[in-house]
Amino acid sequence: TYPGSENAENRYKIEQRGEHFFISMTVDLIVVSILLALVNRQQKRLVEAQEHLAHNEKISTLGRVAAQVAHEVRNPLSGLLLYSMHLKGKVAGQLADGELQLIDKIIETINHLTSTTEQILNFARPVKLSPQWVDLNRVAGDVIQLLNSEISANGIEARVDLCDSDVTGMLDEASIRAALLNLGLNAIQAMPGGGVLTITTGADGDSLSLVVSDTGSGITEEQIKHMFEPFNTTKSRGLGLGMPYAQKIVEQHGGAISVSSQPGHGTRVRIELPGKRGVTR
């Protein structure tokens, strides 16, 4: 609409406006795309946080209920144990050995139930951390020694792959040892026909790591999803509190625990812990 050399300036201004409009639209699209990506990321984080909160609330509720039941059962069990031992003393020498063995079975069963209630109560109790400088290489070696009888009885080969770097952090040694011991027992029970149990330590900047791996039967992705739920177990023995307890300990240290597995190819549990900065509670 602006022909001729006399309108060259008008044509130039129109071209500039077109270029500016195109640039403006392009920038707007980029900004909107970035904002949408940020919103999507925040939504995913929110969903994950909500799921984590729901999981923690579920664990907390189960723990409270279980602790109440265990508390109510513990005192009667103590009474039954005393009565049974008193009865055994009264009839000793009056009954045949086979009949006395029945009383021993009663005492053994009561002791087993008492041990079970104590496990539940220990899980429900809040963990009080007492951080101090702890060398994970030493803890890993100690745990293998504690598991030695179970390892030998099941024909398992134990390997400890210790990090050459410093793997010392401000940690609560007793609880970390207990969590690692639970993971080691789980690994051993996953290899009833023998296999290889490996505990690996590592360090990466301010982060320390412990990895427990086995060559056992492995588990499915669906089983991994429910692994940290209390009283959820696929084993014929045990309460299913080992993994939830380990998670509780690790998270109270400000760390994280993850599981990777495949049926028929073993299981690998990785713990990430704070290093030099340690825990503050």
Side-chain angles (χ1 to χ4, degrees), residues 185-201:
L185 285 170
N186 282 348
I188 291 170
Q189 290 166 10
M191 299 182 287
V196 179
L197 165 66
T198 306
I199 298 181
T200 306
T201 61

Side-chain angles (χ1 to χ4, degrees), residues 55 58 221-230 232-233:
H55 175 73
K58 183 178 180 180
E221 289 186 10
E222 187 62 26
Q223 288 173 320
I224 291 175
K225 291 179 183 177
H226 301 286
M227 181 169 278
F228 297 107
E229 294 179 5
N232 177 70
T233 180

Side-chain angles (χ1 to χ4, degrees), residues 80-139:
L80 285 172
L81 181 61
L82 288 173
Y83 297 148
S84 299
M85 294 178 72
H86 181 67
L87 176 63
K88 182 181 178 181
K90 282 283 187 181
V91 300
Q94 301 178 33
L95 297 178
D97 290 342
E99 292 173 326
L100 282 175
Q101 286 178 2
L102 291 176
I103 299 177
D104 287 334
K105 286 289 184 184
I106 292 172
I107 293 173
E108 182 183 334
T109 302
I110 293 172
N111 283 329
H112 174 70
L113 290 173
T114 302
S115 175
T116 300
T117 57
E118 286 299 324
Q119 287 182 53
I120 295 172
L121 287 169
N122 287 335
F123 172 75
R125 291 189 187 106
V127 178
K128 294 181 179 179
L129 302 182
S130 300
Q132 57 183 340
W133 291 111
V134 176
D135 182 2
L136 290 185
N137 281 345
R138 178 172 55 80
V139 172

Side-chain angles (χ1 to χ4, degrees), residues 36-215:
L36 286 173
L38 289 172
V39 169
N40 187 45
R41 186 184 302 172
Q42 291 301 322
Q43 283 179 331
K44 286 182 179 178
R45 288 178 179 174
L46 183 60
V47 169
E48 289 173 359
Q50 288 173 335
E51 289 176 351
H52 186 69
L53 250 148
H55 175 73
N56 286 346
E57 181 60 30
K58 183 178 180 180
I59 288 178
S60 177
T61 302
L62 279 171
R64 286 196 298 269
V65 173
Q68 183 62 32
V69 173
H71 181 72
E72 293 295 330
V73 169
R74 182 172 58 173
N75 289 338
L77 283 175
S78 299
L80 285 172
L81 181 61
L82 288 173
Y83 297 148
S84 299
M85 294 178 72
H86 181 67
L87 176 63
K88 182 181 178 181
K90 282 283 187 181
V91 300
Q94 301 178 33
L95 297 178
D97 290 342
E99 292 173 326
L100 282 175
Q101 286 178 2
L102 291 176
I103 299 177
D104 287 334
K105 286 289 184 184
I106 292 172
I107 293 173
E108 182 183 334
T109 302
I110 293 172
N111 283 329
H112 174 70
L113 290 173
T114 302
S115 175
T116 300
T117 57
E118 286 299 324
Q119 287 182 53
I120 295 172
L121 287 169
N122 287 335
F123 172 75
R125 291 189 187 106
V127 178
K128 294 181 179 179
L129 302 182
S130 300
Q132 57 183 340
W133 291 111
V134 176
D135 182 2
L136 290 185
N137 281 345
R138 178 172 55 80
V139 172
D142 290 348
V143 167
I144 286 293
Q145 286 187 349
L146 289 171
L147 294 171
N148 191 52
S149 59
E150 293 275 348
I151 289 169
S152 300
N154 289 275
I156 292 170
E157 178 187 349
R159 299 175 182 172
V160 184
D161 186 6
L162 301 180
C163 181
D164 294 331
S165 304
D166 182 21
V167 284
T168 303
M170 279 293 288
L171 308 167
D172 181 77
E173 183 170 356
S175 60
I176 291 296
R177 189 190 302 271
L180 189 59
L181 191 62
N182 277 328
L183 298 181
L185 285 170
N186 282 348
I188 291 170
Q189 290 166 10
M191 299 182 287
V196 179
L197 165 66
T198 306
I199 298 181
T200 306
T201 61
D204 183 12
D206 281 337
S207 178
L208 304 178
S209 64
L210 280 167
V211 179
V212 179
S213 58
D214 64 66
T215 58

Side-chain angles (χ1 to χ4, degrees), residues 231-247:
F231 311 109
N232 177 70
T233 180
T234 57
K235 296 181 290 187
S236 58
R237 54 176 178 155
L239 295 173
L241 293 178
M243 291 302 291
Y245 177 77
Q247 183 188 47

